[in-house]
Amino acid sequence: MAGAATTDTRPLTDGFGRRITYVRISVTDRCDLRCRYCMAEKMEFLPRREILSFEEIDMIAEAFIARGVRKIRLSGGEPLVRKGVTDLAARLGRHLNGGGLDELTMTTNATRLADHADALADAGVKRVNVSLDTLDPDAFRYITRWGDLEKTLDGIAAAQAAGLRVKINMVALAGMNDHHIVPMMRWCADQGHDLTLIETMPLGHIDDDRSDRYLPLDAVKHDLEQQFSLIPLAERTGGPARYWNVEQLGLKLGLITPLTNNFCDGCNRVRVTVSGKIYMCLGHDDHLDLKSALREGGREALDQVLDEAMIRKPRRHDFHIGADDAQPAVTRHMSVTGG
Ligand code: SAM
Ligand code: SF4
């Protein structure tokens, strides 16, 4: 007699002994903005038939959670441009509060957050990461190509009103927003937001040359230390971020430095694209196909692909940006794997 199928609960551990407890899921590759460091102005997006349904994303998330994943971040593209994404969040939210998941978060540009903040809070989301590279409306429009700063600020205010904590992500861009870093720090401190600065990474073809805009964050930190006391914090999230308390402002400042520093030894994450591909490292093209496994072989086949992914997760990324780098390190845009 065939017994009931048992759920695979073996922890996801890669070939270097790293436990995978964090998954970023891209729910769309589309976006309503075109940030210059992220996308070209003219982008080709996936045909809708190739993207995972919410049911499929839910099944993939369930398999990850059964195998020890404790944190899920929904990203994109812009996750809030996908219709019904807050329903997906609500569905995933059932795993919170003792159901295996510690945290469900979202990364968003906040253009549509004013309409969705309450639904996200109801789904169990406690925190959103918002991309905001400047507080200057003209510079904001230039960097995003057509964005309206007011909308993003309204979205952030709505998130706060809904009780969500907001962490601001700011990509540091030489000659574009380097003089906006200190004003952003002061604003975040006033508003009670954490701030993370990010080095621009060589992902996907864009219209500009990234090497012109690359701003090493160790140089930024050195400049900040002339004005502020930066006290290192012990906090680690298994990613490339390190945190400091900016004493004079009472601000928690994160620096994501994949290029000037390599923190891959403690990596705890993988990424799933909206077409169902699992990428084991942001800096490598190697990937496996979860969608076909799920559609053709169900949960068992999915678990086999997850096992294979653990074997193939590389030790580290090989990013660098130099004056001679005409080509990106990987051709996929950050918007495909969701940051
Ligand atoms: N659209 C949402 C947003 O902007 O927050 C979520 C997706 S976006 C790809 C996720 C994060 O990746 C954002 O903070 C964005 O600034 C960052 N990002 C995009 N392209 C990048 C690049 N080439 N290097 C470093 N960060 C990048
Ligand atoms: Fe869109 Fe986010 Fe990329 Fe900007 S960073 S173009 S908001 S996906």
Side-chain angles (χ1 to χ4, degrees):
M1 192 178 75
T6 50
T7 306
D8 191 342
T9 57
R10 289 170 301 119
L12 293 170
T13 307
D14 76 358
F16 304 97
R18 296 173 295 194
R19 278 286 302 275
I20 302 307
T21 55
Y22 181 11
V23 179
R24 293 190 180 181
I25 302 177
S26 174
V27 298
T28 178
D29 61 336
R30 293 164 193 256
C31 188
D32 52 352
L33 300 180
R34 291 287 183 281
C35 302
R36 287 171 186 274
Y37 53 81
C38 178
M39 291 191 184
E41 185 164 358
K42 289 197 173 53
M43 294 285 293
E44 266 188 41
F45 297 114
L46 287 167
R48 287 181 201 275
R49 64 178 180 281
E50 280 188 28
I51 69 175
L52 295 172
S53 66
F54 286 151
E55 288 71 24
E56 288 171 326
I57 294 178
D58 189 23
M59 286 162 85
I60 290 172
E62 200 170 62
F64 273 113
I65 294 166
R67 301 199 58 182
V69 161
R70 310 218 48 108
K71 180 171 169 183
I72 291 181
R73 175 180 297 197
L74 301 179
S75 187
E78 172 47 41
L80 292 176
V81 303
R82 182 155 175 192
K83 206 161 157 245
V85 75
T86 51
D87 298 338
L88 172 69
R91 216 187 261 214
L92 298 179
R94 76 181 182 282
H95 297 288
L96 293 163
N97 304 317
L101 200 60
D102 294 334
E103 208 185 355
L104 177 63
T105 63
M106 179 178 280
T107 304
T108 171
N109 63 26
T111 56
R112 300 177 185 208
L113 194 51
D115 293 334
H116 297 296
D118 286 330
L120 288 176
D122 289 346
V125 172
K126 300 261 182 296
R127 186 167 61 86
V128 286
N129 285 41
V130 175
S131 298
L132 179 60
D133 299 319
T134 177
L135 291 164
D136 177 304
D138 295 330
F140 184 85
R141 186 172 296 277
Y142 179 77
I143 292 172
T144 58
R145 284 201 178 90
W146 52 69
D148 175 357
L149 178 65
E150 270 316 299
K151 273 195 186 170
T152 292
L153 295 181
D154 286 351
I156 293 171
Q160 271 185 308
L164 301 173
R165 280 199 50 78
V166 176
K167 185 192 229 183
I168 302 294
N169 284 342
M170 176 179 186
V171 176
L173 301 161
M176 221 185 254
N177 69 356
D178 31 6
H179 292 100
H180 306 190
I181 292 175
V182 172
M184 184 69 85
M185 288 168 64
R186 293 190 189 284
W187 180 79
C188 285
D190 280 352
Q191 300 287 316
H193 308 317
D194 295 339
L195 171 65
T196 296
L197 303 178
I198 306 175
E199 284 176 351
T200 177
M201 294 174 227
L203 298 173
H205 289 281
I206 53 171
D207 298 329
D208 300 1
D209 180 354
R210 281 199 183 87
S211 54
D212 290 349
R213 297 294 175 200
Y214 172 56
L215 181 58
L217 287 181
D218 49 0
V220 171
K221 178 165 172 277
H222 180 265
D223 287 351
L224 290 176
E225 281 170 336
Q226 311 311 306
Q227 293 183 60
F228 303 105
S229 313
L230 268 53
I231 316 292
L233 299 173
E235 182 177 333
R236 297 280 183 275
T237 54
R242 293 294 178 270
Y243 297 94
W244 283 265
N245 177 32
V246 184
E247 215 173 29
Q248 290 81 350
L249 303 177
L251 171 73
K252 187 166 122 188
L253 178 69
L255 300 181
I256 298 193
T257 57
L259 286 105
T260 50
N261 293 294
N262 186 294
F263 297 119
C264 301
D265 284 351
C267 184
N268 63 354
R269 63 197 59 185
V270 292
R271 295 170 168 84
V272 177
T273 70
V274 70
S275 60
K277 297 189 171 68
I278 176 170
Y279 282 86
M280 289 70 82
C281 175
L282 193 55
H284 286 263
D285 267 329
D286 191 27
H287 59 271
L288 290 133
D289 185 0
L290 297 177
K291 184 177 71 185
S292 302
L294 183 64
R295 288 184 183 173
E296 288 157 26
R299 178 69 171 267
E300 201 177 317
L302 195 61
D303 276 304
Q304 281 169 9
V305 177
L306 294 182
D307 289 337
E308 176 70 17
M310 291 305 99
I311 294 167
R312 281 172 38 183
K313 185 168 164 64
R315 181 187 280 273
R316 51 170 293 160
H317 70 69
D318 304 313
F319 288 142
H320 66 99
I321 294 186
D324 56 342
D325 290 329
Q327 297 301 319
V330 291
T331 52
R332 184 181 83 239
H333 292 87
M334 183 78 111
S335 51
V336 173
T337 34

